[in-house]
Amino acid sequence: MAKSNNPSVSSKVQLGEVVVLRLDGLDSLVARLTALGFETKGPVVRDGAVVPGPITGVADLPVGVHDEQAPGSYRLTRGDDGRLFDWAVGPGSWKAEFFPPSQEVWRAVKVGDSMQFTESAPLAPLAIVGARPCETAALDVLDRVLKDGAHRDPVYADRREGAFVAVVECATPASTCFCSSMGTGPGIEGGFDLALTEIDDARGHRFVVRAGSDAGVEVLSVLAHEEALDEDLEARGRVLDQAAARMGRQLQTEGLASLLARNVEHPRWADVAERCLSCANCTLVCPTCFCSDVRDTSDLDGTLERRRVWSSCFDLEHSYLHGGAVRTSASSRYRQWMTHKLSTWWDQFDTSGCVGCGRCIAWCPVGIDITEEAAFIAASDGATPANAVSKASAP
Amino acid sequence: MTPVVHRVVGRIQETDDVTTLCLEPVTGARMDFRPGQFNMLSAFGVGEAAISLSSAPGDRGPLRHTVRDVGAVTRALCQRDVGDLIGVRGPFGSDWQVPQRTVGTAVKDVRDTVVIAGGIGLAPLRGAVHELVAASHGGGGRVFLLVGAREPSQLVFNDDMEAWARDGARVLVSVDRASPQWHGRVGLVTALLSDAGFDPANCRALLCGPEIMMRFTARALVDMGVAPEAILVSLERNMQCGLGWCGHCQLGPFLLCRDGPVVPYAGIVSQLLTERER
Ligand code: SF4
Ligand code: SF4
């Protein structure tokens, strides 16, 4: 007979210690974070998709919700299993919480013979319960752009540094997921305040929880938790093994950056351009895409406002330079996007720009698949329009 | 992210569509910068554009920016009058690394410098030429300025070019299409290279102009024996923030606001200048 966990206690947890929370413990976690003054958010179902939203407890989470994802398609289904996190990432990412799609940078008014500026107010501290491992990896990527470079974006950096992040490891990756290839999931070993693994077996529906920071230790210590047994750790291992085994896609990352750098003239770029609509969906759903436009407006009363809004390298205006766009063709824009993600991001920020979340595959209206495009180019390395490989002979 | 408010204290109509704005901060000290760097200039209520500094750090006068009217923001900047306010953020980016004028110390770098500009490409080089000409009198190397423009009416800084020539620089100018009043050379700027008289084995070259002009000029310099490592080019892309955040100024591995605008020609840049980005 399986051992049962020790009865619930609230006791000081050590950094790195593993404990078990039941559903009521998860409820208390949300309540505790809110009581500490955090704006508490988690995955919620809205408009037929799992997206970030405000939560007050377990009931707000996607209870019994599952997903079916494939190139160009995303669909939620409902079960009666009561599981909370058996879905893969949806179209919304946590990026928007730190780097809003439209954000005031400053307002200015004329005062005397000069101007007075008011910078945008800092956002409230945010707590996330239920980010996926690839999503915290994506935030780490964004940190290198907006926080850790020569110039620190104060709104992003303050909100990021003040955030509390409870990650839930992935048990059921989608067919579009390839985080195993990118080293960003389905499990997570660092860079979180708390890491949870959802388990539902003979010994009940519960979460194996690790504290990864002092803030995580503090919050976890006041929640009713149980000591984790070997069986709990083994159950977590099984969840992660099964998740890795059902990963729907893979990307061969070895040598990929230089492969794309030397295949600028590859005929595949023209081929993908025949399918690509330049709709920019892929950049909107991508959790690491950071391009923005800076826009100035003036009110009738003379107040000036500068905003920063998301933009996309698929927009013609993105590369506008005295009187015309530099990247005029769809092929040059798709090549810019994919080569940036997988190649020049390394040059610029010493990391991959892709975390393998699969969003761009599911949300591309024509199902263009970054892993398939990369595999094609790898299989026909060095092809040029002059020596083009026929479509039939490539994978 | 908030600009420093400057006042237009002078403006020079350089050509039909090119204006130099002379700016002083409304409060506080004038900024420090190196020739080749740029600022983000705000035409308040219209927008912001990346404009290189065309003055020299050693000048006593106001900051200069030379703007070509090519869109809504640059048009608004060109239309600003003396007394108007302009926002300035910067300076950003890399510089030409010309020897600094330091009173009383000898200039260590005695190589020839050949400065090659196409059209308004002379603007980000103007401060460098000022510094180089001054340094040449303090033991620095000789200065060669080769300027090309489509037509004589598109030449900028004619007074400066005369002054630099009087001050010892060798200045050669060529236009693609002569006007009836033009008695100078006609042809591409690359045709000036062999007549200039610099020492290819012991020189540095600074290039700014249309990419195609820089591509042919850099190749011609290498053919003459100039080391690719001794050639610097200034590259340009759309820029919206100057801070490395907005993603617009990407060119291959570069974020040009951060890694440029001035980059060495050797290696990846020589390749980028030949690849089609379209
Ligand atoms: S490129 Fe696609 S798979 Fe990679 S992080 Fe972006 S959306 Fe996810
Ligand atoms: S790859 Fe797909 S999602 Fe991205 S711009 Fe093209 S059609 Fe739209």
Side-chain angles (χ1 to χ4, degrees):
Chain A
M1 195 189 112
K3 278 187 283 180
S4 69
N5 292 80
N6 285 334
S8 283
V9 286
S10 300
S11 64
K12 178 79 178 161
V13 175
Q14 302 301 314
L15 197 61
E17 190 183 332
V18 188
V19 303
V20 167
L21 281 186
R22 301 277 163 180
L23 279 183
D24 53 353
L26 191 62
D27 242 348
S28 320
L29 170 63
V30 175
R32 176 72 192 151
L33 290 168
T34 307
L36 286 171
F38 286 106
E39 178 185 4
T40 310
K41 294 195 171 183
V44 300
V45 174
R46 202 190 315 130
D47 300 331
V50 176
V51 293
I55 54 168
T56 56
V58 166
D60 293 328
L61 295 169
V63 186
V65 169
H66 307 290
D67 59 341
E68 286 171 6
Q69 302 198 38
S73 91
Y74 174 99
R75 199 167 70 89
L76 292 185
T77 59
R78 281 181 192 274
D80 53 9
D81 48 36
R83 288 182 59 100
L84 304 176
F85 295 98
D86 270 2
W87 41 265
V89 290
S93 79
W94 293 103
K95 171 175 85 173
E97 296 294 330
F98 298 92
F99 168 39
S102 175
Q103 182 186 349
E104 182 184 294
V105 179
W106 49 252
R107 297 175 78 76
V109 285
K110 197 142 194 261
V111 176
D113 62 355
S114 189
M115 321 257 300
Q116 195 170 34
F117 294 88
T118 315
E119 298 213 21
S120 61
L123 301 164
L126 172 72
I128 302 173
V129 177
R132 294 348 280 253
C134 68
E135 298 189 288
T136 62
L139 291 172
D140 290 343
V141 171
L142 275 183
D143 282 355
R144 295 181 185 227
V145 182
L146 296 174
K147 183 165 81 66
D148 301 336
H151 302 281
R152 181 180 187 272
D153 170 356
V155 173
Y156 174 90
D158 288 352
R159 182 134 156 122
R160 189 68 176 113
E161 280 156 7
F164 185 98
V165 181
V167 181
V168 180
E169 295 183 313
C170 275
T172 58
S175 85
T176 42
C177 290
F178 55 103
C179 62
S180 287
S181 300
M182 309 311 288
T184 57
I188 188 167
E189 296 308 330
F192 51 78
D193 294 300
L194 294 177
L196 288 71
T197 317
E198 184 175 23
I199 294 165
D200 192 3
D201 58 17
R203 298 191 20 257
H205 192 181
R206 64 199 189 282
F207 293 87
V208 171
V209 186
R210 292 162 293 152
S213 71
D214 292 342
V217 164
E218 248 170 69
V219 168
L220 196 54
S221 295
V222 301
L223 302 179
H225 58 263
E226 300 158 23
E227 192 185 313
L229 304 177
D230 287 347
E231 287 88 334
D232 296 311
L233 304 185
E234 284 157 18
R236 173 183 172 234
R238 275 194 301 279
V239 166
L240 295 184
D241 288 347
Q242 280 163 16
R246 58 175 279 175
M247 195 72 46
R249 279 178 159 63
Q250 57 169 344
L251 181 66
Q252 183 53 254
T253 54
E254 175 113 29
L256 183 55
S258 52
L259 174 82
L260 295 178
R262 68 174 173 264
N263 278 284
V264 177
E265 305 290 347
H266 199 286
R268 186 67 172 185
W269 301 120
D271 179 279
V272 75
E274 278 173 29
R275 291 169 278 142
C276 175
L277 312 171
S278 284
C279 69
N281 264 15
C282 50
T283 58
L284 285 173
V285 294
C286 179
T288 66
C289 273
F290 61 83
C291 284
S292 61
D293 286 345
V294 175
R295 295 201 186 137
D296 286 11
T297 51
S298 54
D299 290 355
L300 288 176
D301 69 356
T303 308
L304 304 176
E305 187 196 48
R306 175 164 294 171
R307 297 193 80 79
R308 183 169 72 171
V309 297
W310 287 2
S311 69
S312 169
C313 55
F314 283 93
D315 297 339
L316 195 56
E317 304 77 50
H318 190 270
S319 62
Y320 183 93
L321 190 65
H322 9 97
V326 173
R327 289 186 285 273
T328 48
S329 68
S331 70
S332 68
R333 298 202 288 278
Y334 186 85
R335 181 183 63 195
Q336 163 63 28
W337 178 73
M338 183 169 140
T339 306
H340 189 214
K341 286 284 150 200
L342 302 175
S343 179
T344 51
W345 211 293
W346 284 101
D347 300 304
Q348 295 166 2
F349 302 108
D350 200 23
T351 177
S352 167
C354 172
V355 297
C357 72
R359 286 180 175 93
C360 58
I361 303 171
W363 292 91
C364 174
V366 294
I368 293 172
D369 174 351
I370 188 170
T371 65
E372 186 188 328
E373 299 308 321
F376 190 103
I377 291 173
S380 49
D381 186 8
T384 63
N387 70 6
V389 275
S390 80
K391 283 183 201 175
S393 70
Chain B
M1 271 298 251
T2 52
V4 177
V5 182
H6 283 59
R7 189 178 305 286
V8 180
V9 296
R11 59 192 302 288
I12 305 159
Q13 193 72 42
E14 304 281 0
T15 72
D16 279 358
D17 60 353
V18 176
T19 307
T20 294
L21 297 171
C22 304
L23 305 177
E24 288 284 6
V26 169
T27 56
R30 204 179 291 147
M31 71 168 63
D32 286 329
F33 67 95
R34 296 295 307 148
Q37 290 191 295
F38 69 94
N39 278 316
M40 297 299 298
L41 296 192
S42 290
F44 288 119
V46 184
E48 215 180 17
I51 308 289
S52 58
L53 282 133
S54 55
S55 45
D59 284 354
R60 294 239 168 68
L63 296 175
R64 287 185 183 217
H65 297 79
T66 301
V67 189
R68 185 154 66 107
D69 168 2
V70 285
V73 177
T74 48
R75 170 157 315 152
L77 288 170
C78 285
Q79 287 169 348
R80 289 298 187 256
D81 249 323
V82 171
D84 286 351
L85 300 180
I86 279 183
V88 181
R89 293 191 300 121
F92 297 122
S94 55
D95 67 87
W96 294 111
Q97 296 163 38
V98 293
Q100 274 173 271
R101 267 191 261 178
T102 339
V103 182
T105 59
V107 176
K108 295 209 182 64
D109 192 339
V110 296
R111 286 180 294 171
D112 288 348
T113 304
V114 49
V115 175
I116 307 172
I120 198 186
L122 186 54
L125 285 162
R126 183 177 174 272
V129 178
H130 262 315
E131 303 276 291
L132 287 161
V133 169
S136 71
H137 294 294
R142 297 178 296 171
V143 182
F144 300 81
L145 174 63
L146 316 184
V147 175
R150 243 179 299 145
E151 304 171 4
S153 65
Q154 293 185 347
L155 287 165
V156 293
F157 310 143
N158 292 322
D159 295 349
D160 292 312
M161 288 196 276
E162 281 172 26
W164 294 325
R166 278 197 304 275
D167 236 357
R170 179 149 166 75
V171 179
L172 299 177
V173 180
S174 183
V175 297
D176 298 350
R177 280 194 307 271
S179 60
Q181 298 79 20
W182 180 253
H183 302 297
R185 292 171 182 250
V186 177
L188 296 176
V189 71
T190 41
L192 302 175
L193 288 172
S194 50
D195 291 350
F198 56 89
D199 177 4
N202 188 34
C203 76
R204 101 185 89 215
L206 316 179
L207 275 55
C208 187
E211 279 179 26
I212 184 160
M213 166 258 166
M214 293 195 285
R215 178 165 97 211
F216 286 115
T217 308
R219 277 199 196 145
L221 286 166
V222 171
D223 288 345
M224 287 173 78
V226 178
E229 294 72 27
I231 304 173
L232 295 176
V233 301
S234 181
L235 298 173
E236 192 182 8
R237 283 294 177 271
N238 184 320
M239 281 184 195
Q240 306 231 341
C241 74
L243 304 165
W245 300 343
C246 79
H248 286 269
C249 67
Q250 286 181 67
L251 175 59
F254 300 119
L255 289 168
L256 283 178
C257 73
R258 180 189 80 177
D259 309 314
V262 179
V263 291
Y265 172 73
I268 182 74
V269 171
S270 59
Q271 187 188 324
L272 288 172
L273 281 175
T274 61
E275 276 165 4
R276 274 162 28 107
E277 235 188 314
R278 319 209 166 277

